[in-house]
């Protein structure tokens, strides 16, 4: 929503410039579904083929 406010998209009802951040605003995370077949970090790092990921914004 922050990016949408900065882009001036309709429907945003706050002024992002007035927000004050506490801590780090971005926390990187990754989640895999059961469909990937990966059930542990060890499995992921040992995979012979790259695991396909997608970004959600």
């Amino acid at each position: 929503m922050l990016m949408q406010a900065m882009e001036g998209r309709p429907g945003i009802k706050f002024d992002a410039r007035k927000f004050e951040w506490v801590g780090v605003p971005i926390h990187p995370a990754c989640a895999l579904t059961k469909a990937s077949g990966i059930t542990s970090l060890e499995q992921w790092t040992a995979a012979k083929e790259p695991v396909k990921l997608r970004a959600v914004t």
Side-chain angles (χ1 to χ4, degrees), residues 2-34:
L2 178 62
M3 290 303 295
Q4 292 175 355
M6 293 173 67
E7 293 170 355
R9 297 218 179 158
I12 303 298
K13 301 194 189 262
F14 63 88
D15 185 349
R17 296 170 297 176
K18 294 181 180 177
F19 277 56
E20 291 185 29
W21 296 106
V22 177
V24 178
I26 299 173
H27 300 281
C30 184
L32 301 171
T33 67
K34 287 183 180 182

Side-chain angles (χ1 to χ4, degrees), residues 27-46:
H27 300 281
C30 184
L32 301 171
T33 67
K34 287 183 180 182
S36 71
I38 304 294
T39 59
S40 69
L41 181 59
E42 291 77 20
Q43 248 186 337
W44 187 8
T45 56

